[in-house]
Amino acid sequence: MIYPLRHDFYMQLLKAILFILTTTLVLIVWGSFVSGHAQNRRFTTQPAPQAVEEPLYSEYKGIKIGMADSEVRARLGEPKELEDTQFFYVISERETAQIFFDQARKVKAISVDYIGEGSGAPECRAVMGLVVQPAADGSVYKLVRYPRYGYWVSYNRTAGALPIITVTIQKM
């Protein structure tokens, strides 16, 4: 009497183990299929990134990375504020520029702020050469490095009714 009960128990246990193993295998195979399908869909529905090798925005009003501080003054005039490492210019009510210098008094960064719509700020595409989708709040940020030229360019637009657009060129 004990033998048939023990045999039935082991058979039930074996069936349960086989059921669990089979279910696990099916879930693994199904998960791999779904994951692979999702990855394929993700990669095929996203547009290919556009390669930009030549910077579209390499200067501001004739001011370039590496230019001497005397050349900056010759082009933009006397700055509104003057420090050892930077000049601050007020171009208009809606446009300001900061020019940063290294120890040799050469331009190492140019940062221009445009305030509000109608400020004359360039579009992101004109600066970056790429279409950048704004975030849900309307803000935009993109940075592209140009190692061949030794600098990077960034475009930043804040959200809100009075956006501030900052375009920066900085030596790497």
Side-chain angles (χ1 to χ4, degrees), residues 32-66:
S32 296
F33 174 76
V34 169
S35 174
H37 183 67
Q39 282 182 341
N40 286 342
R41 184 176 50 219
R42 182 179 65 208
F43 289 122
T44 57
T45 58
Q46 291 180 348
Q50 301 163 334
V52 178
E53 300 210 8
E54 298 287 326
L56 295 179
Y57 196 87
S58 60
E59 64 179 65
Y60 170 73
K61 296 189 182 286
I63 309 302
K64 296 181 178 187
I65 298 294

Side-chain angles (χ1 to χ4, degrees), residues 108-141:
K108 71 175 184 179
I110 304 162
S111 185
V112 185
D113 291 321
Y114 301 90
I115 303 163
E117 299 293 338
S119 62
E123 293 291 323
C124 186
R125 184 180 181 116
V127 173
M128 309 308 289
L130 303 165
V131 175
V132 179
Q133 294 300 318
D137 64 359
S139 63
V140 175
Y141 176 75

Side-chain angles (χ1 to χ4, degrees), residues 133-155:
Q133 294 300 318
D137 64 359
S139 63
V140 175
Y141 176 75
K142 183 69 178 173
L143 183 141
V144 177
R145 288 177 176 79
Y146 300 98
R148 192 167 103 194
Y149 296 92
Y151 61 86
W152 54 259
V153 178
S154 72
Y155 184 94

